[in-house]
Amino acid sequence: MLGSKMTTLRAFTCDDLFKFNNINLDPLTETYGIPFYLQYLAHWPEYFIVAEAPGGELMGYIMGKAEGSVAREEWHGHVTALSVAPEFRRLGLAAKLMELLEEISERKGGFFVDLFVRVSNQVAVNMYKQLGYSVYRTVIEYYSASNGEPDEDAYDMRKALSRDTEKKSIIPLPHPVRPEDIE
Amino acid sequence: MAIQQADKLLKKHKDLHCAKVLKAIGLQRTGKQDEAFALAQEVATLEPTDDNSLQALTILYREMHRPELVTKLYEAAVRKVPSSEEYHSHLFMAYARVGEYKKMQQAGMTLYKIVPKNPYYFWSVMSLVMQAISAQDKKLSQTMFLPLAERMVEKMVKEEKIEAEAEVQLYYMILERLGKYVEALEVVRGQLGEKLTSELQSRENKCMSLYKQLERWPECNALSCKLLLKNPDDWQFYMSYFDSLFHLIDQGWEPPSEGEHCSEGEVRSSVAQAIAFVEERLAVEEAKETRPLRGPFLARLELIRRLRARGCPEEQELGEPLELMFQYFIKFGDKPCCISDLKIYLDLLTTDHHFINRLMETVPLSEPQDDGVALPGDTRALQRHLCVAQLSRALGLHHALDTTGKLDLIRQLKSHYRHGLQFGKSCLKTELQFSDMYCLLASHVYIDLWAETGDETMLWQCLGLLEEGLSHSSSNAQFKLLLILLFCRMGAFEPVVDLYSSLDAKHVQHDTIGFLLTRYAESLGQFAAASQSCNFSLRFFHSNQKDTSEYIIQAYKYGAFEKIPEFIAFRSRLNRSLHFAQVRTERMLLDLFLEADLSSSLEDNVKSMGLCPEEDDIPWTDMRDNRDLTVLTSWDPADRQLSEEQRSFSLQEELLWLKVRFLTLRLVGTLAVLSHPPTPRNAEKAAENGVVAKPDILRPLLDQLNTTLQNGAQFLERGVQYPFLGPSPTRLAHALASGSCHCQVLAFQLAAYVQELDAAALGESRPRMTLCLSELPLLEILNKCKGDLLEVKEGQCKTQPTLLENLVFFVETVCVVHWVSCFCAGVLRPLKASLQKRKKKKKEPISATMVVFSGFQEFTAGLQSLFSEVLDHIKGQETSLTALKLGELTLEEEEAFVKLAMDKLRSSYLRSLQELGDLLKKRADVLKSLKI
């Protein structure tokens, strides 16, 4: 089933911000302030990829970055946002976008790719597991809630890249951590 | 606290610059801008060179929105410490913040001379490119800036000093902008091109774009095929392959008799080869164990369409479109995207019914239930059935049904919707229900029925159905969007506030869908909500300027050169946003309606909002329409979808209405400016001394308003209609029909007349005023507000939202008349006094001027009775709305949800009436005491 996304994949540009409502009106997709997008576009433009359908609609996008110390073998690719419009789900598009981000991270010599996901977002957690990611640690109350509901924990999920031959980067931590303890 | 600490420090060290600046920041943040600025300048004139002071001043100036002062600061610093890499680098960034490209170019080179690091050199090169991009004279760009930039890069290339990918990227940008595609191609394909590694397929994508520019169709053709062999699902390369194919055929291209076809390898340049290529890709997919890719199947349809357009009989070799689309449905019909894939090719079909019937036969459904509807047994079957329904709509089959047919269709769709809910019982709150789209489809058919028959029951049923849908699928944005649209069209804004806020639209979305909120809030009489809506958007636009500048600087730092012009264009797109100009204007009008000459004087209001009536600062000629007009999902046939022409009409209409509003605002502002300063002046003396009167800005603005209204009327004569799910019409038509525009123009005319009277200083030779205040046609507007907003007739609920909109126009016009009369009173008061003085001296016949005075008294008396009439009307409406029994209606199954919608509507009407009534009461009280 993977790969049946029939799409044009290209770099995300500022003009796409005016067209991504069908993706971002989803309750789990955050619309960030302009500085946030511009920061990624200025610093890691290659990590911000959008998928466009033959009809011109935006199908989904991935936004990420490279960070961490090379010396401490923590240089890695990070997935900041990944979202697919409802109409274009169940096509393996998210998997394809993840694959691209992993490939870029490989080229940059990263040791692993990581991401944060809501503990409750079982659909996403399962998808990442299928793509080879495992829970590295739990971050307590990582997502702050706005409407009086309790803050939510996040899984920090990782997948080792080829540079980490012994897969040291993904050995799970025994205890959960607090948001202030993560870099 | 910070200020105290800084003071303490300053006591010990009187001249500690940094402490002063920190104090200034404290002052700035506590709203003492003037003090802060003075203190900062105290330090700045000393031209500090310590890092702390410089950085603190930079922060302060940025917060003051005075980035140009940062450049002065570092100019002084590098003068004093000419070898500092850091200060030179800050100076470069300071220039970048204000877009001083020429100075950036020099600063970059100076930096490079101090520290020969490549990035500094290329900052300088990029600054040349920016000079080229921003130059008014495009010839200068092509003959001077870009060639200079090119030479600068060439120098580095020759000296083999090119290090980073960003540098190659910049070289490519320069060559591309110079139109030197051959040279650009050499760079990309050569050794330098090997550095282009960050972005995936960076070299291939650049080559492809250059081949197209150069019309090197053989290379374009061969590269497309190569990339398709690697990824048979990448749609853009099918497009470039087919484009190149037909170019080559038209050129009569023949492959060379020996050797490679071209530098990219094999060219497939005949129709036969193209057909074979697509069929090979298909064969690979067909042979797969796993689910096939969609690309090759759609590429076949695309090729058929292109061949058919050229009249090539070979299209038949690829198969019959109906059959192929049928097969496509068999393969991919259980994917939600099947509809968007196939709808592009529906025009290839000749017999729509046959197609739909064949599809339907393949959908596994149960035996028909009691209501005669056969239902799917799982989500895959449901999705297939849903896709057929969507395709039927896209083929226009829903529209072709008569009323009975449509009602029956709705019944079936609802049945499918409710039945399908069982599959989504375990869905989380954040997920959609599998059958949600049936609900939306049924709503669309209800709207069709309403549009055709005018039967409002259809809209009520639609509202009820969507409320029902939302109760099962609380995060469905499409339900919310359509509810917002429907409530607004029915005159109810109150429910819209919660619906919109639950969409959690933020930041840039204020620009793209904020119009949903701002279009109706004010026009439906919810001024408080309207103010708030405008504020959401304004806050976003105001932060844009500062925000984007910082990231332009970041792009230099990280060498993302191609992003710099993109960010600048983005900033300009936001600054020139139609919505921005609209919310700015409406926000000011709203402030005036709600406050001016009530809680504070019109003059104070105008002054505090910094409105300068002489100035037109809206970029009319280059306005950007950033509205997302297709945010509401529509499966309508192509000819019923929003067309480019309708888009441009909508923008035209928005601009006309904005102009009306902006001119109204400026006219009101002029009244404030003209009556300010309110020093008692001796008109007689002024006239005797030949002092020139205040410049007349009222007349030219009034002329512009008249012209715009004429243009507006002409526009409306065209009778432009938009799709229901597309843009809403502006208030223009109602404004003209209500008579409020006419009345406001007359009021302003009166103000202009009175002002001229003042200027002529009781000159008895002035023509008699042709109109008195008391003759303003306010009553005519009021008469168009009379009637019941909501009534129940023969068991049917009927609304008349136009009455509410007219009432709002009445209120707005009353405000304008109020300001005009205050203005007139202000002018007439001293005139009357001096006239009476003169009359005592010598007997004069009753002059034309006296008629103005007596007219004024009649007018204020008349207004009072008008006020009591309208307030009675509002009271009456409130009473009857409250008394209306909405529960007794004979509603069927969805009774509860329709009732819910009705209650929301009633509550909203009541709120609008209350807001309008309150405002009118306040105005009535103030006007009571207005005398001359």
Side-chain angles (χ1 to χ4, degrees):
Chain A
M1 172 174 146
L2 280 191
S4 117
K5 71 269 153 206
M6 219 265 316
T7 320
T8 295
L9 293 162
R10 57 171 179 78
F12 191 99
T13 68
C14 289
D15 280 342
D16 292 318
L17 294 169
F18 296 94
K19 302 197 294 188
F20 70 5
N21 283 323
N22 62 331
I23 304 170
N24 275 42
L25 286 174
D26 173 273
L28 289 179
T29 304
E30 179 74 14
T31 300
Y32 298 101
I34 297 299
F36 197 71
Y37 295 111
L38 295 193
Q39 183 197 346
Y40 277 80
L41 288 171
H43 201 157
W44 307 280
E46 66 279 4
Y47 266 122
F48 205 160
I49 301 168
V50 63
E52 201 175 62
E57 313 96 310
L58 298 190
M59 304 167 77
Y61 60 82
I62 193 165
M63 177 166 90
K65 59 182 172 182
E67 60 182 5
S69 143
V70 179
R72 283 186 285 164
E73 304 198 357
E74 281 164 3
W75 174 246
H76 68 282
H78 175 76
V79 184
T80 305
L82 169 62
S83 190
V84 175
E87 199 186 344
F88 299 104
R89 288 185 191 156
R90 296 173 226 177
L91 293 173
L93 181 59
K96 177 70 190 173
L97 291 168
M98 287 296 288
E99 187 188 307
L100 296 179
L101 187 134
E102 287 161 20
E103 195 181 327
I104 295 168
S105 305
E106 281 281 359
R107 288 195 199 181
K108 288 183 186 292
F111 290 90
F112 59 92
V113 168
D114 77 344
L115 55 91
F116 293 95
V117 60
R118 284 176 191 275
V119 172
S120 68
N121 192 349
Q122 213 44 55
V123 181
V125 172
N126 288 336
M127 179 193 78
Y128 291 127
K129 280 185 178 162
Q130 270 181 11
L131 298 177
Y133 287 75
S134 54
V135 176
Y136 168 68
R137 58 186 168 182
T138 304
V139 188
I140 296 163
E141 290 169 3
Y142 179 78
Y143 294 102
S144 44
S146 48
N147 42 5
E149 285 170 41
D151 292 348
E152 194 177 342
D153 297 351
Y155 287 135
D156 177 357
M157 298 185 78
R158 289 186 176 185
K159 179 177 179 175
L161 295 176
S162 58
R163 185 164 179 186
D164 180 14
T165 42
E166 293 162 50
K167 299 199 188 294
K168 281 192 291 193
S169 64
I170 62 164
I171 300 168
L173 294 192
H175 305 293
V177 296
R178 310 256 349 146
E180 52 270 25
D181 299 329
I182 57 173
E183 281 169 35
Chain B
M1 187 62 189
I3 302 174
Q4 285 169 10
Q5 290 288 335
D7 272 333
K8 236 187 251 171
L9 254 163
L10 283 170
K11 254 180 214 158
K12 275 188 227 159
H13 316 273
K14 224 176 76 202
D15 292 321
L16 194 61
H17 297 159
C18 183
K20 277 191 187 168
V21 186
L22 290 178
K23 184 180 171 184
I25 294 181
L27 291 167
Q28 160 79 14
R29 291 188 184 165
T30 46
K32 294 172 186 154
Q33 277 86 359
D34 294 342
E35 274 179 68
F37 187 69
L39 195 57
Q41 288 316 88
E42 218 175 278
V43 180
T45 42
L46 297 172
E47 305 189 339
T49 53
D50 66 297
D51 203 33
N52 290 334
S53 303
L54 287 170
Q55 285 200 15
L57 275 169
T58 306
I59 293 172
L60 178 64
Y61 287 147
R62 263 161 54 189
E63 285 186 14
M64 291 180 153
H65 298 277
R66 299 288 303 271
E68 73 283 0
L69 293 177
V70 182
T71 63
K72 300 277 171 294
L73 205 60
Y74 280 101
E75 277 169 3
V78 300
R79 230 182 4 252
K80 286 191 172 171
V81 197
S83 62
S84 166
E85 177 182 4
E86 197 188 338
Y87 293 170
H88 275 286
S89 151
H90 281 300
L91 179 59
F92 179 89
M93 294 309 171
Y95 287 141
R97 211 170 275 127
V98 290
E100 288 255 28
Y101 304 126
K102 193 168 170 53
K103 289 186 173 160
M104 288 163 74
Q105 182 200 338
Q106 291 156 353
M109 274 326 277
T110 312
L111 253 176
Y112 184 66
K113 277 174 197 150
I114 299 169
V115 199
K117 290 182 189 166
N118 267 19
Y120 296 152
Y121 187 90
F122 285 89
W123 284 3
S124 187
V125 177
M126 184 60 201
S127 308
L128 269 168
V129 175
M130 286 316 298
Q131 287 177 69
I133 291 174
S134 61
Q136 294 292 324
D137 182 358
K138 288 297 150 202
K139 227 177 120 191
L140 206 61
S141 307
Q142 292 295 318
T143 56
M144 195 173 93
F145 296 126
L146 290 171
L148 191 54
E150 184 192 9
R151 278 200 299 279
M152 281 182 72
V153 182
E154 275 172 355
K155 184 167 175 285
M156 295 298 265
V157 175
K158 276 192 199 116
E159 293 170 14
E160 296 189 349
K161 281 187 188 161
I162 297 284
E163 290 166 2
E165 178 175 3
E167 297 158 16
V168 182
Q169 192 80 303
L170 180 56
Y171 194 17
Y172 172 81
M173 254 175 87
I174 295 166
L175 293 171
E176 204 189 18
R177 284 180 182 270
L178 273 170
K180 292 192 166 185
Y181 303 120
V182 180
E183 291 83 349
L185 199 56
E186 276 164 22
V187 170
V188 176
R189 298 198 63 174
Q191 209 177 354
L192 286 176
E194 284 168 24
K195 289 195 189 292
L196 300 171
T197 54
S198 290
E199 205 185 311
L200 298 173
Q201 281 188 4
S202 173
R203 288 174 94 178
E204 288 88 343
N205 289 336
K206 287 190 171 65
C207 283
M208 189 69 90
S209 132
L210 291 168
Y211 291 146
K212 283 180 195 165
Q213 289 289 351
L214 288 165
E215 303 190 357
R216 290 200 184 168
W217 303 121
E219 281 86 354
C220 183
N221 183 297
L223 182 58
S224 301
C225 289
K226 249 196 313 206
L227 292 169
L228 283 173
L229 285 172
K230 223 164 73 185
N231 179 3
D233 221 20
D234 205 333
W235 191 243
Q236 57 190 322
F237 299 124
Y238 283 110
M239 293 309 185
S240 51
Y241 174 47
F242 295 148
D243 287 345
S244 69
L245 173 73
F246 294 115
H247 280 295
L248 288 170
I249 292 174
D250 291 341
Q251 287 172 359
W253 187 84
E254 289 289 335
S257 47
E258 55 187 87
E260 281 235 287
H261 285 179
C262 73
S263 60
E264 292 285 357
E266 189 190 347
V267 178
R268 293 169 174 83
S269 63
S270 70
V271 171
Q273 281 171 311
I275 291 175
F277 182 76
V278 170
E279 296 209 309
E280 282 158 29
R281 305 284 76 67
L282 284 162
V284 173
E285 297 309 316
E286 298 277 17
K288 267 187 188 167
E289 296 278 322
T290 53
R291 184 187 281 275
L293 298 175
R294 285 147 56 238
F297 294 91
L298 280 182
R300 176 162 59 183
L301 290 166
E302 177 71 23
L303 187 54
I304 291 177
R305 164 185 288 162
R306 293 193 183 213
L307 289 169
R308 190 177 284 188
R310 293 170 60 93
C312 291
E314 290 102 318
E315 67 150 287
Q316 284 160 13
E317 291 172 33
L318 284 158
E320 167 58 44
L322 189 147
E323 182 59 31
L324 298 177
M325 286 164 87
F326 172 75
Q327 284 169 16
Y328 192 89
F329 176 80
I330 298 296
K331 285 195 171 64
F332 305 106
D334 57 351
K335 297 283 172 199
C337 68
C338 189
I339 171 68
S340 39
D341 289 345
L342 285 184
K343 75 171 180 221
I344 322 173
Y345 296 105
L346 290 179
D347 59 329
L348 295 177
L349 293 176
T350 39
T351 52
D352 305 340
H353 279 286
H354 184 51
F355 177 60
I356 292 297
N357 290 342
R358 274 200 67 191
L359 298 189
M360 198 54 109
E361 281 163 17
T362 71
V363 180
L365 297 176
S366 69
E367 285 300 307
Q369 311 288 298
D370 295 341
D371 58 358
V373 180
L375 297 165
D378 58 24
T379 57
R380 291 194 159 203
L382 179 150
Q383 190 57 52
R384 279 184 185 281
H385 181 264
L386 178 62
C387 183
V388 180
Q390 290 165 327
L391 284 166
S392 309
R393 185 161 181 88
L395 284 165
L397 301 179
H398 290 184
H399 299 88
L401 294 170
D402 61 10
T403 303
T404 326
K406 283 195 175 90
L407 285 170
D408 190 52
L409 172 65
I410 290 172
R411 190 181 59 80
Q412 291 177 37
L413 289 169
K414 284 204 278 199
S415 182
H416 276 279
Y417 167 60
R418 289 178 185 135
H419 169 260
L421 288 173
Q422 62 179 295
F423 303 121
K425 280 199 179 119
S426 60
C427 281
L428 298 172
K429 230 176 36 190
T430 50
E431 287 175 274
L432 305 180
Q433 286 289 331
F434 293 96
S435 60
D436 272 355
M437 293 299 124
Y438 282 116
C439 179
L440 200 60
L441 268 172
S443 304
H444 290 174
V445 185
Y446 269 132
I447 293 169
D448 295 342
L449 273 171
W450 166 74
E452 262 170 38
T453 63
D455 180 359
E456 204 180 302
T457 328
M458 296 301 120
L459 286 189
W460 288 109
Q461 296 293 325
C462 185
L463 279 175
L465 179 60
L466 286 165
E467 290 278 6
E468 180 184 344
L470 203 55
S471 75
H472 294 295
S473 186
S474 59
S475 13
N476 191 313
Q478 288 300 328
F479 289 172
K480 293 175 193 174
L481 290 166
L482 192 50
L483 275 168
I484 287 174
L485 202 61
L486 286 167
F487 274 124
C488 283
R489 294 285 176 102
M490 296 180 84
F493 190 76
E494 194 183 55
V496 171
V497 176
D498 283 343
L499 284 165
Y500 189 86
S501 97
S502 77
L503 284 173
D504 205 18
K506 285 186 276 192
H507 311 295
V508 71
Q509 289 172 318
H510 288 308
D511 193 17
T512 54
I513 58 170
F515 69 94
L516 292 170
L517 210 50
T518 53
R519 161 63 184 87
Y520 283 100
E522 188 180 351
S523 66
L524 297 175
Q526 309 226 334
F527 288 1
S531 265
Q532 207 186 13
S533 314
C534 290
N535 284 347
F536 289 147
S537 293
L538 280 175
R539 220 172 295 145
F540 164 71
F541 287 114
H542 284 147
S543 64
N544 160 47
Q545 188 72 28
K546 202 176 67 176
D547 288 350
T548 32
S549 301
E550 289 318 304
Y551 295 95
I552 291 169
I553 291 176
Q554 296 242 331
Y556 274 103
K557 280 188 187 157
Y558 299 119
F561 295 123
E562 77 274 27
K563 290 291 165 194
I564 294 168
E566 186 183 317
F567 288 179
I568 289 170
F570 175 65
R571 179 169 66 189
S572 148
R573 183 169 177 182
L574 290 177
N575 283 337
R576 296 174 169 279
S577 162
L578 165 73
H579 185 61
F580 184 22
Q582 286 173 326
V583 290
R584 230 167 37 133
T585 307
E586 292 300 337
R587 173 65 223 255
M588 286 195 263
L589 279 171
L590 277 164
D591 278 354
L592 296 179
F593 291 142
L594 290 170
E595 285 162 23
D597 282 343
L598 293 177
S599 51
S600 52
S601 73
L602 176 64
E603 287 96 294
D604 287 349
N605 265 288
V606 168
K607 212 174 130 194
S608 78
M609 57 179 66
L611 173 66
C612 179
E614 276 124 303
E615 221 178 90
D616 183 354
D617 55 355
I618 292 182
W620 295 105
T621 49
D622 188 18
M623 201 81 102
R624 294 299 300 265
D625 187 356
N626 296 333
R627 292 175 298 164
D628 184 352
L629 296 177
T630 51
V631 68
L632 282 112
T633 297
S634 164
W635 299 286
D636 284 350
D639 60 349
R640 286 174 186 265
Q641 299 271 1
L642 182 67
S643 69
E644 279 310 309
E645 197 188 18
Q646 287 169 324
R647 255 176 212 278
S648 105
F649 277 137
S650 168
L651 174 59
Q652 233 175 299
E653 191 186 333
E654 295 286 346
L655 288 175
L656 279 167
W657 177 241
L658 174 60
K659 211 163 215 167
V660 171
R661 300 295 275 183
F662 190 55
L663 285 166
T664 305
L665 177 66
R666 289 169 70 196
L667 278 161
V668 175
T670 307
L671 296 182
V673 172
L674 286 178
S675 49
H676 190 87
T679 46
R681 6 185 270 106
N682 190 330
E684 271 179 311
K685 209 171 178 181
E688 278 163 20
N689 298 345
V691 174
V692 184
K694 294 164 191 165
D696 185 2
I697 49 172
L698 269 177
R699 284 283 174 198
L701 286 176
L702 199 48
D703 290 345
Q704 283 188 52
L705 180 59
N706 270 316
T707 314
T708 311
L709 289 172
Q710 278 166 20
N711 292 342
Q714 273 169 18
F715 177 89
L716 292 172
E717 276 168 26
R718 287 177 163 161
V720 176
Q721 298 276 325
Y722 310 110
F724 187 85
L725 300 173
S728 296
T730 67
R731 299 173 72 194
L732 183 64
H734 284 313
L736 288 173
S738 71
S740 74
C741 290
H742 177 61
C743 186
Q744 291 183 20
V745 164
L746 290 178
F748 287 125
Q749 256 169 21
L750 204 76
Y753 178 82
V754 168
Q755 196 234 332
E756 283 152 14
L757 200 68
D758 178 35
L762 291 177
E764 305 297 327
S765 58
R766 297 290 304 175
R768 236 196 100 138
M769 187 162 59
T770 50
L771 177 101
C772 333
L773 278 167
S774 53
E775 287 166 16
L776 286 176
L778 277 167
L779 189 62
E780 285 163 33
I781 311 177
L782 179 55
N783 286 337
K784 289 178 180 150
C785 308
K786 301 269 178 75
D788 286 327
L789 274 175
L790 182 66
E791 58 178 339
V792 182
K793 248 191 210 159
E794 295 152 13
Q796 304 284 341
C797 226
K798 282 223 182 318
T799 59
Q800 293 195 76
T802 317
L803 299 178
L804 180 57
E805 288 177 62
N806 285 346
L807 188 59
V808 174
F809 283 124
F810 176 81
V811 171
E812 291 185 1
T813 309
V814 162
C815 291
V816 170
V817 170
H818 181 185
W819 299 320
V820 167
S821 39
C822 286
F823 171 78
C824 292
V827 174
L828 291 177
R829 224 173 277 134
L831 281 184
K832 191 180 180 187
S834 80
L835 193 70
Q836 276 166 346
K837 225 194 296 168
R838 217 160 48 160
K839 253 193 344 191
K840 274 177 197 163
K841 284 186 201 157
K842 44 182 177 176
K843 292 234 158 166
E844 263 183 29
I846 291 175
S847 64
T849 316
M850 285 311 285
V851 179
V852 176
F853 301 142
S854 61
F856 193 82
Q857 256 106 41
E858 269 172 47
F859 160 69
T860 40
L863 263 189
Q864 289 306 322
S865 72
L866 200 69
F867 273 121
S868 48
E869 192 177 336
V870 65
L871 289 171
D872 281 349
H873 166 66
I874 290 177
K875 190 98 221 113
Q877 281 295 298
E878 286 174 338
T879 315
S880 67
L881 273 172
T882 314
L884 213 55
K885 288 209 165 53
L886 298 173
E888 283 176 12
L889 301 174
T890 50
L891 299 170
E892 286 163 21
E893 34 184 320
E894 300 93 5
E895 188 163 12
F897 288 109
V898 178
K899 171 85 167 55
L900 179 71
M902 286 177 174
D903 286 338
K904 285 182 180 177
L905 202 93
R906 164 160 64 186
S907 157
S908 181
Y909 282 174
L910 282 168
R911 178 192 277 235
S912 298
L913 289 170
Q914 198 193 338
E915 273 201 44
L916 293 169
D918 286 351
L919 184 54
L920 280 169
K921 266 180 232 151
K922 281 190 210 155
R923 296 251 167 230
D925 284 346
V926 176
L927 265 164
K928 224 179 266 176
S929 54
L930 184 70
K931 289 200 175 69
I932 53 166

